[in-house]
Short mmCIF file of all heavy atoms in Angstrom, two decimals:
data_model
loop_
_atom_site.label_atom_id
_atom_site.label_comp_id
_atom_site.label_asym_id
_atom_site.label_seq_id
_atom_site.Cartn_x
_atom_site.Cartn_y
_atom_site.Cartn_z
N ALA A 1 41.49 -179.71 77.54
CA ALA A 1 41.85 -178.43 77.02
C ALA A 1 42.35 -177.56 78.13
O ALA A 1 41.75 -177.51 79.21
CB ALA A 1 40.61 -177.84 76.40
N LEU A 2 43.46 -176.82 77.89
CA LEU A 2 44.11 -176.08 78.85
C LEU A 2 43.48 -174.63 78.96
O LEU A 2 43.73 -173.90 79.87
CB LEU A 2 45.63 -175.88 78.61
CG LEU A 2 46.45 -177.18 78.74
CD1 LEU A 2 47.81 -176.94 78.32
CD2 LEU A 2 46.29 -177.75 80.12
N ARG A 3 42.69 -174.25 77.93
CA ARG A 3 42.02 -172.95 77.90
C ARG A 3 43.05 -171.80 77.98
O ARG A 3 42.86 -170.89 78.71
CB ARG A 3 40.99 -172.88 78.90
CG ARG A 3 39.91 -173.95 78.80
CD ARG A 3 38.84 -173.85 79.82
NE ARG A 3 38.11 -172.64 79.53
CZ ARG A 3 37.20 -172.10 80.38
NH1 ARG A 3 36.93 -172.75 81.53
NH2 ARG A 3 36.46 -171.02 80.04
N ASP A 4 44.17 -171.90 77.33
CA ASP A 4 45.22 -170.99 77.32
C ASP A 4 44.67 -169.67 76.66
O ASP A 4 43.85 -169.67 75.85
CB ASP A 4 46.41 -171.38 76.49
CG ASP A 4 47.26 -172.45 77.16
OD1 ASP A 4 46.95 -172.65 78.43
OD2 ASP A 4 48.13 -173.04 76.54
N LEU A 5 45.21 -168.55 77.11
CA LEU A 5 44.84 -167.27 76.65
C LEU A 5 46.14 -166.53 76.27
O LEU A 5 46.98 -166.39 77.10
CB LEU A 5 44.02 -166.53 77.70
CG LEU A 5 43.55 -165.10 77.43
CD1 LEU A 5 42.56 -165.13 76.29
CD2 LEU A 5 42.96 -164.50 78.67
N THR A 6 46.10 -165.93 75.10
CA THR A 6 47.17 -165.07 74.68
C THR A 6 46.65 -163.67 74.51
O THR A 6 45.64 -163.44 73.77
CB THR A 6 47.76 -165.59 73.33
OG1 THR A 6 48.30 -166.91 73.53
CG2 THR A 6 48.94 -164.67 72.93
N ILE A 7 47.28 -162.68 75.10
CA ILE A 7 46.84 -161.35 75.02
C ILE A 7 47.93 -160.53 74.41
O ILE A 7 49.16 -160.59 74.82
CB ILE A 7 46.55 -160.72 76.42
CG1 ILE A 7 45.37 -161.48 76.96
CG2 ILE A 7 46.16 -159.20 76.28
CD1 ILE A 7 45.02 -161.07 78.38
N HIS A 8 47.65 -159.79 73.32
CA HIS A 8 48.56 -158.93 72.65
C HIS A 8 48.14 -157.52 72.92
O HIS A 8 46.97 -157.13 72.81
CB HIS A 8 48.61 -159.17 71.17
CG HIS A 8 49.19 -160.50 70.78
ND1 HIS A 8 50.46 -160.79 70.69
CD2 HIS A 8 48.51 -161.70 70.60
CE1 HIS A 8 50.59 -162.04 70.32
NE2 HIS A 8 49.47 -162.58 70.31
N GLY A 9 49.07 -156.67 73.23
CA GLY A 9 48.70 -155.23 73.54
C GLY A 9 49.88 -154.32 73.04
O GLY A 9 50.94 -154.72 72.63
N ILE A 10 49.52 -153.09 73.09
CA ILE A 10 50.52 -152.08 72.64
C ILE A 10 50.33 -150.87 73.53
O ILE A 10 49.24 -150.45 73.95
CB ILE A 10 50.43 -151.69 71.17
CG1 ILE A 10 51.58 -150.82 70.86
CG2 ILE A 10 49.07 -151.03 70.90
CD1 ILE A 10 51.72 -150.59 69.36
N PHE A 11 51.38 -150.27 73.95
CA PHE A 11 51.45 -149.10 74.80
C PHE A 11 52.26 -148.08 73.99
O PHE A 11 53.45 -148.32 73.72
CB PHE A 11 52.04 -149.39 76.14
CG PHE A 11 51.81 -148.24 77.14
CD1 PHE A 11 50.48 -148.04 77.67
CD2 PHE A 11 52.84 -147.48 77.64
CE1 PHE A 11 50.34 -147.07 78.54
CE2 PHE A 11 52.58 -146.48 78.54
CZ PHE A 11 51.36 -146.30 78.98
N SER A 12 51.61 -147.02 73.55
CA SER A 12 52.25 -146.18 72.57
C SER A 12 53.25 -145.14 73.03
O SER A 12 53.82 -144.42 72.30
CB SER A 12 51.19 -145.50 71.67
OG SER A 12 50.38 -144.60 72.52
N TYR A 13 53.39 -144.99 74.36
CA TYR A 13 54.35 -144.06 74.95
C TYR A 13 54.75 -144.42 76.24
O TYR A 13 54.17 -145.25 76.97
CB TYR A 13 53.71 -142.62 74.93
CG TYR A 13 52.50 -142.51 75.75
CD1 TYR A 13 52.56 -142.31 77.17
CD2 TYR A 13 51.23 -142.64 75.21
CE1 TYR A 13 51.41 -142.28 77.90
CE2 TYR A 13 50.09 -142.58 76.03
CZ TYR A 13 50.21 -142.33 77.40
OH TYR A 13 49.06 -142.33 78.14
N THR A 14 55.94 -143.88 76.64
CA THR A 14 56.45 -144.16 77.96
C THR A 14 56.11 -142.88 78.78
O THR A 14 55.82 -141.85 78.34
CB THR A 14 58.00 -144.41 77.93
OG1 THR A 14 58.57 -143.19 77.43
CG2 THR A 14 58.29 -145.53 77.06
N THR A 15 56.32 -143.03 80.11
CA THR A 15 56.14 -141.81 80.92
C THR A 15 57.09 -140.80 80.64
O THR A 15 56.81 -139.58 80.60
CB THR A 15 56.31 -142.25 82.48
OG1 THR A 15 55.37 -143.26 82.73
CG2 THR A 15 56.12 -141.13 83.37
N LYS A 16 58.31 -141.12 80.26
CA LYS A 16 59.35 -140.11 79.84
C LYS A 16 58.99 -139.39 78.59
O LYS A 16 59.07 -138.16 78.50
CB LYS A 16 60.69 -140.84 79.66
CG LYS A 16 61.81 -139.88 79.40
CD LYS A 16 63.21 -140.61 79.27
CE LYS A 16 64.26 -139.61 78.87
NZ LYS A 16 65.52 -140.33 78.79
N SER A 17 58.44 -140.13 77.64
CA SER A 17 58.04 -139.51 76.35
C SER A 17 56.80 -138.58 76.59
O SER A 17 56.75 -137.51 76.05
CB SER A 17 57.77 -140.49 75.24
OG SER A 17 56.75 -141.26 75.47
N TRP A 18 55.88 -138.98 77.34
CA TRP A 18 54.69 -138.18 77.69
C TRP A 18 55.19 -136.89 78.39
O TRP A 18 54.66 -135.77 78.10
CB TRP A 18 53.69 -138.94 78.49
CG TRP A 18 52.42 -138.22 78.78
CD1 TRP A 18 51.98 -137.82 79.94
CD2 TRP A 18 51.46 -137.74 77.83
NE1 TRP A 18 50.78 -137.14 79.83
CE2 TRP A 18 50.46 -137.07 78.57
CE3 TRP A 18 51.41 -137.79 76.37
CZ2 TRP A 18 49.38 -136.47 77.87
CZ3 TRP A 18 50.29 -137.21 75.81
CH2 TRP A 18 49.30 -136.60 76.51
N SER A 19 56.08 -136.99 79.33
CA SER A 19 56.57 -135.84 79.99
C SER A 19 57.23 -134.84 79.08
O SER A 19 57.05 -133.64 79.11
CB SER A 19 57.60 -136.21 81.08
OG SER A 19 56.99 -137.00 82.13
N ARG A 20 57.89 -135.41 78.08
CA ARG A 20 58.62 -134.53 77.09
C ARG A 20 57.57 -133.78 76.23
O ARG A 20 57.72 -132.60 75.95
CB ARG A 20 59.60 -135.37 76.18
CG ARG A 20 60.22 -134.64 75.11
CD ARG A 20 61.27 -133.70 75.73
NE ARG A 20 61.97 -133.00 74.65
CZ ARG A 20 62.28 -131.70 74.67
NH1 ARG A 20 61.99 -130.98 75.75
NH2 ARG A 20 62.85 -131.12 73.70
N VAL A 21 56.48 -134.47 75.88
CA VAL A 21 55.41 -133.87 75.10
C VAL A 21 54.81 -132.67 75.91
O VAL A 21 54.56 -131.62 75.35
CB VAL A 21 54.35 -134.91 74.70
CG1 VAL A 21 53.10 -134.22 74.17
CG2 VAL A 21 54.81 -135.83 73.59
N LEU A 22 54.56 -132.90 77.13
CA LEU A 22 54.02 -131.86 78.03
C LEU A 22 55.01 -130.66 78.02
O LEU A 22 54.51 -129.50 78.03
CB LEU A 22 53.73 -132.43 79.42
CG LEU A 22 52.56 -133.41 79.43
CD1 LEU A 22 52.36 -133.93 80.92
CD2 LEU A 22 51.30 -132.79 78.91
N GLU A 23 56.28 -130.89 78.14
CA GLU A 23 57.29 -129.89 78.17
C GLU A 23 57.21 -129.06 76.88
O GLU A 23 57.24 -127.86 76.86
CB GLU A 23 58.65 -130.41 78.33
CG GLU A 23 58.98 -130.98 79.69
CD GLU A 23 60.32 -131.67 79.74
OE1 GLU A 23 61.10 -131.65 78.75
OE2 GLU A 23 60.62 -132.33 80.72
N LEU A 24 57.12 -129.76 75.74
CA LEU A 24 57.02 -129.10 74.39
C LEU A 24 55.79 -128.29 74.27
O LEU A 24 55.82 -127.18 73.71
CB LEU A 24 57.18 -130.13 73.31
CG LEU A 24 58.59 -130.83 73.19
CD1 LEU A 24 58.43 -131.96 72.20
CD2 LEU A 24 59.71 -129.82 72.75
N LEU A 25 54.65 -128.80 74.80
CA LEU A 25 53.36 -128.07 74.72
C LEU A 25 53.49 -126.81 75.55
O LEU A 25 53.14 -125.78 75.16
CB LEU A 25 52.26 -128.97 75.23
CG LEU A 25 51.52 -129.83 74.31
CD1 LEU A 25 50.60 -130.71 75.05
CD2 LEU A 25 50.86 -128.99 73.25
N ASP A 26 54.04 -126.92 76.77
CA ASP A 26 54.20 -125.89 77.70
C ASP A 26 55.14 -124.70 77.02
O ASP A 26 54.90 -123.57 77.34
CB ASP A 26 54.80 -126.29 79.06
CG ASP A 26 54.58 -125.38 80.18
OD1 ASP A 26 53.45 -124.73 80.20
OD2 ASP A 26 55.41 -125.22 81.02
N ALA A 27 56.11 -125.17 76.31
CA ALA A 27 57.00 -124.20 75.71
C ALA A 27 56.54 -123.59 74.50
O ALA A 27 57.04 -122.74 73.82
CB ALA A 27 58.36 -124.87 75.42
N GLY A 28 55.28 -124.06 74.01
CA GLY A 28 54.62 -123.53 72.83
C GLY A 28 55.25 -124.12 71.52
O GLY A 28 55.09 -123.54 70.52
N LEU A 29 55.92 -125.22 71.63
CA LEU A 29 56.63 -125.84 70.48
C LEU A 29 55.72 -126.84 69.74
O LEU A 29 56.17 -127.39 68.64
CB LEU A 29 57.96 -126.38 70.85
CG LEU A 29 58.99 -125.38 71.43
CD1 LEU A 29 60.19 -126.08 71.97
CD2 LEU A 29 59.30 -124.34 70.34
N LEU A 30 54.58 -127.24 70.32
CA LEU A 30 53.68 -128.19 69.70
C LEU A 30 52.34 -127.53 69.57
O LEU A 30 51.92 -126.83 70.49
CB LEU A 30 53.59 -129.47 70.54
CG LEU A 30 54.75 -130.38 70.48
CD1 LEU A 30 54.36 -131.57 71.36
CD2 LEU A 30 55.10 -130.90 69.13
N ASP A 31 51.67 -127.78 68.52
CA ASP A 31 50.31 -127.28 68.33
C ASP A 31 49.37 -128.40 67.91
O ASP A 31 49.45 -128.89 66.77
CB ASP A 31 50.28 -126.18 67.25
CG ASP A 31 48.88 -125.56 67.00
OD1 ASP A 31 48.00 -125.81 67.90
OD2 ASP A 31 48.68 -124.94 65.99
N PHE A 32 48.56 -128.81 68.84
CA PHE A 32 47.63 -129.89 68.54
C PHE A 32 46.25 -129.46 67.93
O PHE A 32 45.49 -130.29 67.54
CB PHE A 32 47.29 -130.74 69.78
CG PHE A 32 48.49 -131.61 70.22
CD1 PHE A 32 48.90 -131.59 71.58
CD2 PHE A 32 49.16 -132.41 69.35
CE1 PHE A 32 49.92 -132.49 71.97
CE2 PHE A 32 50.23 -133.19 69.74
CZ PHE A 32 50.61 -133.18 71.10
N GLU A 33 46.07 -128.20 67.84
CA GLU A 33 44.83 -127.65 67.31
C GLU A 33 44.42 -128.23 65.99
O GLU A 33 43.24 -128.55 65.76
CB GLU A 33 44.81 -126.09 67.26
CG GLU A 33 44.68 -125.46 68.59
CD GLU A 33 43.40 -125.82 69.34
OE1 GLU A 33 42.37 -125.90 68.70
OE2 GLU A 33 43.52 -126.12 70.58
N PRO A 34 45.32 -128.41 65.00
CA PRO A 34 44.95 -128.87 63.76
C PRO A 34 44.29 -130.29 63.70
O PRO A 34 43.65 -130.72 62.84
CB PRO A 34 46.18 -128.89 62.88
CG PRO A 34 47.09 -127.88 63.57
CD PRO A 34 46.82 -127.94 65.06
N ILE A 35 44.64 -131.15 64.74
CA ILE A 35 44.19 -132.52 64.76
C ILE A 35 42.91 -132.68 65.70
O ILE A 35 42.27 -133.72 65.71
CB ILE A 35 45.24 -133.50 65.13
CG1 ILE A 35 45.73 -133.27 66.56
CG2 ILE A 35 46.31 -133.50 64.16
CD1 ILE A 35 46.63 -134.39 67.07
N ILE A 36 42.50 -131.61 66.37
CA ILE A 36 41.34 -131.66 67.26
C ILE A 36 40.12 -131.37 66.36
O ILE A 36 40.00 -130.26 65.85
CB ILE A 36 41.44 -130.73 68.43
CG1 ILE A 36 42.60 -131.09 69.30
CG2 ILE A 36 40.16 -130.68 69.24
CD1 ILE A 36 42.92 -130.02 70.42
N THR A 37 39.20 -132.37 66.27
CA THR A 37 38.04 -132.12 65.44
C THR A 37 36.81 -131.96 66.23
O THR A 37 35.78 -131.50 65.74
CB THR A 37 37.83 -133.34 64.49
OG1 THR A 37 37.72 -134.53 65.29
CG2 THR A 37 39.02 -133.44 63.49
N HIS A 38 36.83 -132.30 67.52
CA HIS A 38 35.61 -132.22 68.42
C HIS A 38 36.02 -131.78 69.76
O HIS A 38 37.07 -132.21 70.23
CB HIS A 38 34.78 -133.46 68.45
CG HIS A 38 34.28 -133.96 67.17
ND1 HIS A 38 35.11 -134.61 66.20
CD2 HIS A 38 33.01 -133.95 66.65
CE1 HIS A 38 34.36 -134.90 65.11
NE2 HIS A 38 33.11 -134.50 65.40
N ARG A 39 35.15 -130.98 70.38
CA ARG A 39 35.29 -130.64 71.77
C ARG A 39 33.97 -130.76 72.50
O ARG A 39 32.93 -130.37 71.95
CB ARG A 39 35.80 -129.16 71.96
CG ARG A 39 37.14 -128.88 71.47
CD ARG A 39 37.52 -127.37 71.67
NE ARG A 39 38.73 -127.07 70.99
CZ ARG A 39 39.94 -127.24 71.55
NH1 ARG A 39 40.08 -127.61 72.76
NH2 ARG A 39 41.04 -126.91 70.86
N PHE A 40 33.99 -131.39 73.64
CA PHE A 40 32.80 -131.58 74.42
C PHE A 40 33.08 -131.14 75.88
O PHE A 40 34.12 -131.32 76.37
CB PHE A 40 32.40 -133.06 74.49
CG PHE A 40 31.94 -133.64 73.14
CD1 PHE A 40 32.86 -134.22 72.35
CD2 PHE A 40 30.62 -133.50 72.75
CE1 PHE A 40 32.46 -134.77 71.09
CE2 PHE A 40 30.18 -134.06 71.56
CZ PHE A 40 31.12 -134.70 70.70
N ARG A 41 31.97 -130.56 76.51
CA ARG A 41 32.16 -130.23 77.86
C ARG A 41 32.23 -131.55 78.67
O ARG A 41 31.75 -132.60 78.12
CB ARG A 41 30.89 -129.51 78.37
CG ARG A 41 30.80 -128.08 77.81
CD ARG A 41 29.55 -127.36 78.45
NE ARG A 41 28.37 -128.20 78.68
CZ ARG A 41 27.35 -128.31 77.91
NH1 ARG A 41 27.39 -127.66 76.72
NH2 ARG A 41 26.28 -129.06 78.18
N LEU A 42 32.83 -131.49 79.78
CA LEU A 42 32.97 -132.72 80.66
C LEU A 42 31.61 -133.42 80.82
O LEU A 42 31.59 -134.68 80.79
CB LEU A 42 33.62 -132.41 81.91
CG LEU A 42 34.27 -133.50 82.69
CD1 LEU A 42 35.27 -134.31 81.90
CD2 LEU A 42 34.95 -132.93 83.94
N ASP A 43 30.57 -132.71 81.07
CA ASP A 43 29.24 -133.32 81.31
C ASP A 43 28.66 -133.95 80.03
O ASP A 43 27.62 -134.59 80.12
CB ASP A 43 28.35 -132.32 81.94
CG ASP A 43 27.89 -131.20 81.03
OD1 ASP A 43 28.71 -130.86 80.14
OD2 ASP A 43 26.87 -130.45 81.32
N GLN A 44 29.31 -133.83 78.88
CA GLN A 44 28.83 -134.37 77.60
C GLN A 44 29.67 -135.65 77.26
O GLN A 44 29.73 -136.01 76.09
CB GLN A 44 28.98 -133.34 76.48
CG GLN A 44 28.06 -132.13 76.62
CD GLN A 44 28.28 -131.16 75.51
OE1 GLN A 44 29.43 -130.66 75.33
NE2 GLN A 44 27.29 -130.84 74.77
N TYR A 45 30.28 -136.18 78.23
CA TYR A 45 31.26 -137.36 77.98
C TYR A 45 30.55 -138.48 77.25
O TYR A 45 31.17 -139.12 76.44
CB TYR A 45 31.93 -137.80 79.25
CG TYR A 45 30.96 -138.54 80.23
CD1 TYR A 45 30.87 -139.94 80.15
CD2 TYR A 45 30.22 -137.81 81.12
CE1 TYR A 45 29.99 -140.54 81.02
CE2 TYR A 45 29.37 -138.45 82.00
CZ TYR A 45 29.26 -139.83 81.95
OH TYR A 45 28.39 -140.46 82.80
N LEU A 46 29.25 -138.75 77.55
CA LEU A 46 28.57 -139.84 76.85
C LEU A 46 28.54 -139.55 75.36
O LEU A 46 28.72 -140.45 74.55
CB LEU A 46 27.20 -140.07 77.44
CG LEU A 46 27.21 -140.75 78.83
CD1 LEU A 46 25.74 -140.80 79.34
CD2 LEU A 46 27.83 -142.10 78.78
N GLU A 47 28.19 -138.35 74.99
CA GLU A 47 28.15 -137.97 73.51
C GLU A 47 29.55 -138.09 72.89
O GLU A 47 29.66 -138.57 71.81
CB GLU A 47 27.57 -136.62 73.36
CG GLU A 47 27.54 -136.07 71.96
CD GLU A 47 26.69 -136.98 70.96
OE1 GLU A 47 25.72 -137.68 71.48
OE2 GLU A 47 27.10 -137.07 69.85
N ALA A 48 30.57 -137.69 73.64
CA ALA A 48 31.89 -137.79 73.11
C ALA A 48 32.33 -139.25 72.84
O ALA A 48 32.86 -139.62 71.85
CB ALA A 48 32.91 -137.15 74.14
N PHE A 49 31.92 -140.20 73.78
CA PHE A 49 32.25 -141.55 73.61
C PHE A 49 31.43 -142.15 72.47
O PHE A 49 31.93 -142.94 71.62
CB PHE A 49 32.04 -142.36 74.91
CG PHE A 49 33.17 -142.25 75.86
CD1 PHE A 49 33.19 -141.23 76.83
CD2 PHE A 49 34.32 -143.04 75.70
CE1 PHE A 49 34.21 -141.14 77.68
CE2 PHE A 49 35.37 -142.94 76.57
CZ PHE A 49 35.32 -142.00 77.58
N ARG A 50 30.17 -141.69 72.28
CA ARG A 50 29.34 -142.10 71.18
C ARG A 50 30.02 -141.69 69.83
O ARG A 50 30.10 -142.49 68.93
CB ARG A 50 27.98 -141.62 71.28
CG ARG A 50 27.00 -142.52 71.75
CD ARG A 50 25.53 -142.04 71.66
NE ARG A 50 25.04 -142.00 73.08
CZ ARG A 50 24.81 -140.94 73.75
NH1 ARG A 50 24.96 -139.75 73.28
NH2 ARG A 50 24.36 -141.04 75.01
N GLN A 51 30.53 -140.52 69.84
CA GLN A 51 31.12 -140.01 68.65
C GLN A 51 32.33 -140.83 68.26
O GLN A 51 32.57 -141.15 67.12
CB GLN A 51 31.55 -138.51 68.85
CG GLN A 51 32.15 -137.83 67.66
CD GLN A 51 31.07 -137.52 66.68
OE1 GLN A 51 29.95 -137.07 67.03
NE2 GLN A 51 31.32 -137.59 65.39
N MET A 52 33.14 -141.28 69.29
CA MET A 52 34.35 -142.05 69.00
C MET A 52 33.92 -143.46 68.57
O MET A 52 34.57 -144.00 67.65
CB MET A 52 35.17 -142.25 70.34
CG MET A 52 35.99 -141.01 70.69
SD MET A 52 37.16 -141.32 72.01
CE MET A 52 36.08 -141.83 73.43
N GLN A 53 32.82 -144.03 69.03
CA GLN A 53 32.40 -145.36 68.62
C GLN A 53 31.80 -145.30 67.25
O GLN A 53 32.06 -146.20 66.42
CB GLN A 53 31.33 -145.86 69.62
CG GLN A 53 31.87 -146.55 70.82
CD GLN A 53 30.71 -147.17 71.62
OE1 GLN A 53 29.65 -146.59 71.72
NE2 GLN A 53 31.05 -148.37 72.16
N ASP A 54 31.01 -144.27 66.89
CA ASP A 54 30.34 -144.22 65.64
C ASP A 54 31.27 -143.99 64.50
O ASP A 54 31.07 -144.50 63.43
CB ASP A 54 29.20 -143.20 65.65
CG ASP A 54 28.08 -143.59 66.64
OD1 ASP A 54 27.97 -144.76 66.96
OD2 ASP A 54 27.23 -142.68 66.88
N ARG A 55 32.27 -143.14 64.73
CA ARG A 55 33.29 -142.81 63.72
C ARG A 55 32.64 -142.33 62.36
O ARG A 55 33.14 -142.61 61.34
CB ARG A 55 34.25 -144.05 63.42
CG ARG A 55 34.86 -144.71 64.60
CD ARG A 55 35.85 -143.83 65.25
NE ARG A 55 37.04 -143.60 64.52
CZ ARG A 55 37.97 -142.73 64.90
NH1 ARG A 55 37.79 -141.95 65.88
NH2 ARG A 55 39.07 -142.63 64.21
N ARG A 56 31.58 -141.60 62.50
CA ARG A 56 30.98 -140.97 61.30
C ARG A 56 31.59 -139.62 61.02
O ARG A 56 31.78 -138.79 61.87
CB ARG A 56 29.49 -140.80 61.49
CG ARG A 56 28.72 -142.11 61.23
CD ARG A 56 27.28 -141.92 61.29
NE ARG A 56 26.94 -142.37 62.63
CZ ARG A 56 25.88 -142.00 63.32
NH1 ARG A 56 25.18 -140.99 62.89
NH2 ARG A 56 25.63 -142.47 64.54
N GLY A 57 31.99 -139.38 59.78
CA GLY A 57 32.54 -138.14 59.41
C GLY A 57 34.00 -138.16 59.77
O GLY A 57 34.67 -139.13 59.94
N ARG A 58 34.57 -136.93 59.78
CA ARG A 58 35.98 -136.77 60.04
C ARG A 58 36.24 -136.71 61.55
O ARG A 58 35.73 -135.83 62.18
CB ARG A 58 36.43 -135.49 59.38
CG ARG A 58 37.93 -135.28 59.41
CD ARG A 58 38.35 -133.97 58.62
NE ARG A 58 39.47 -133.41 59.29
CZ ARG A 58 39.39 -132.26 59.94
NH1 ARG A 58 38.33 -131.53 59.94
NH2 ARG A 58 40.52 -131.79 60.53
N ILE A 59 36.96 -137.60 62.02
CA ILE A 59 37.32 -137.65 63.46
C ILE A 59 38.84 -137.67 63.60
O ILE A 59 39.55 -138.50 63.11
CB ILE A 59 36.80 -138.98 64.12
CG1 ILE A 59 35.28 -139.17 63.88
CG2 ILE A 59 37.07 -138.97 65.67
CD1 ILE A 59 34.39 -138.29 64.70
N GLY A 60 39.29 -136.69 64.33
CA GLY A 60 40.72 -136.63 64.67
C GLY A 60 40.78 -136.96 66.10
O GLY A 60 40.61 -138.05 66.60
N LYS A 61 41.09 -135.90 66.93
CA LYS A 61 41.12 -136.04 68.38
C LYS A 61 39.86 -135.41 68.97
O LYS A 61 39.40 -134.35 68.52
CB LYS A 61 42.31 -135.41 68.99
CG LYS A 61 43.65 -136.05 68.54
CD LYS A 61 43.71 -137.49 69.05
CE LYS A 61 44.95 -138.16 68.66
NZ LYS A 61 45.01 -139.61 68.99
N ILE A 62 39.29 -136.08 70.00
CA ILE A 62 38.16 -135.54 70.68
C ILE A 62 38.64 -135.11 72.09
O ILE A 62 39.31 -135.84 72.78
CB ILE A 62 37.00 -136.62 70.86
CG1 ILE A 62 36.49 -136.94 69.45
CG2 ILE A 62 35.92 -136.08 71.72
CD1 ILE A 62 35.51 -138.04 69.33
N VAL A 63 38.33 -133.85 72.43
CA VAL A 63 38.83 -133.28 73.68
C VAL A 63 37.61 -133.12 74.64
O VAL A 63 36.57 -132.56 74.19
CB VAL A 63 39.51 -131.98 73.43
CG1 VAL A 63 39.88 -131.26 74.77
CG2 VAL A 63 40.76 -132.15 72.57
N LEU A 64 37.72 -133.52 75.86
CA LEU A 64 36.79 -133.20 76.91
C LEU A 64 37.28 -131.96 77.63
O LEU A 64 38.39 -131.91 78.10
CB LEU A 64 36.66 -134.36 77.92
CG LEU A 64 35.95 -135.56 77.39
CD1 LEU A 64 35.93 -136.65 78.44
CD2 LEU A 64 34.54 -135.28 76.96
N VAL A 65 36.48 -130.89 77.61
CA VAL A 65 36.87 -129.56 78.25
C VAL A 65 36.38 -129.52 79.66
O VAL A 65 35.16 -129.59 79.88
CB VAL A 65 36.35 -128.41 77.35
CG1 VAL A 65 36.78 -127.08 77.97
CG2 VAL A 65 36.81 -128.55 75.91
N HIS A 66 37.37 -129.31 80.54
CA HIS A 66 37.01 -129.13 81.94
C HIS A 66 36.58 -127.70 82.25
O HIS A 66 37.28 -126.82 81.71
CB HIS A 66 38.28 -129.47 82.79
CG HIS A 66 37.92 -129.79 84.24
ND1 HIS A 66 37.69 -128.76 85.11
CD2 HIS A 66 37.82 -130.92 84.90
CE1 HIS A 66 37.42 -129.31 86.27
NE2 HIS A 66 37.57 -130.63 86.17
N PRO A 67 35.52 -127.55 82.89
CA PRO A 67 35.11 -126.12 83.10
C PRO A 67 36.08 -125.35 83.94
O PRO A 67 36.81 -125.84 84.80
CB PRO A 67 33.77 -126.24 83.85
CG PRO A 67 33.78 -127.64 84.41
CD PRO A 67 34.65 -128.50 83.58
N GLU A 68 36.20 -124.06 83.59
CA GLU A 68 37.08 -123.17 84.37
C GLU A 68 36.52 -122.99 85.81
O GLU A 68 35.27 -122.93 86.00
CB GLU A 68 37.15 -121.72 83.72
CG GLU A 68 37.78 -121.82 82.37
CD GLU A 68 39.31 -122.03 82.42
OE1 GLU A 68 39.96 -121.57 83.42
OE2 GLU A 68 39.82 -122.71 81.54
N PRO A 69 37.38 -122.85 86.81
CA PRO A 69 36.86 -122.72 88.17
C PRO A 69 36.29 -121.31 88.37
O PRO A 69 36.47 -120.37 87.75
CB PRO A 69 38.14 -122.76 89.07
CG PRO A 69 39.31 -122.85 88.14
CD PRO A 69 38.76 -122.97 86.75
#
C-alpha cells in the first residue's frame, strides 16, 4: 500500500479581493452589522469558539472585539 493522501481545500478569497472589501468598508459602502449575531471580548475567545462549534440557535458571524487602548 502506498498510503496515498488526497487533500481537497477551498480558499474563498484572494488578497486582492480582501483588500477591495476593506476599501469598501472604509468608504462606508458595506455594512456587515446585519450578519453579526454574536460579539465576544478578546478574553472570551474560548466561549466564542464553543459557540461556533455548538451551532445552537441562529449563528451568523461571530466577532472578537479588541479592547480600546
Side-chain angles (χ1 to χ4, degrees):
L2 295 175
R3 301 180 71 192
D4 288 348
L5 176 66
T6 301
I7 298 174
H8 295 274
I10 186 165
F11 193 68
S12 63
Y13 58 86
T14 63
T15 302
K16 184 178 178 181
S17 64
W18 183 244
S19 294
R20 181 68 179 139
V21 166
L22 293 178
E23 289 171 8
L24 293 170
L25 271 173
D26 197 38
L29 299 173
L30 289 179
D31 179 17
F32 287 133
E33 286 302 318
I35 64 172
I36 297 172
T37 57
H38 296 77
R39 292 179 189 274
F40 293 92
R41 292 186 322 265
L42 199 53
D43 64 341
Q44 295 175 304
Y45 70 94
L46 288 175
E47 178 59 29
F49 280 94
R50 258 188 241 110
Q51 187 76 36
M52 285 190 298
Q53 277 186 319
D54 293 346
R55 306 296 286 169
R56 278 185 260 151
R58 187 175 146 250
I59 305 286
K61 295 297 180 187
I62 296 175
V63 175
L64 291 176
V65 180
H66 197 283
E68 294 290 325

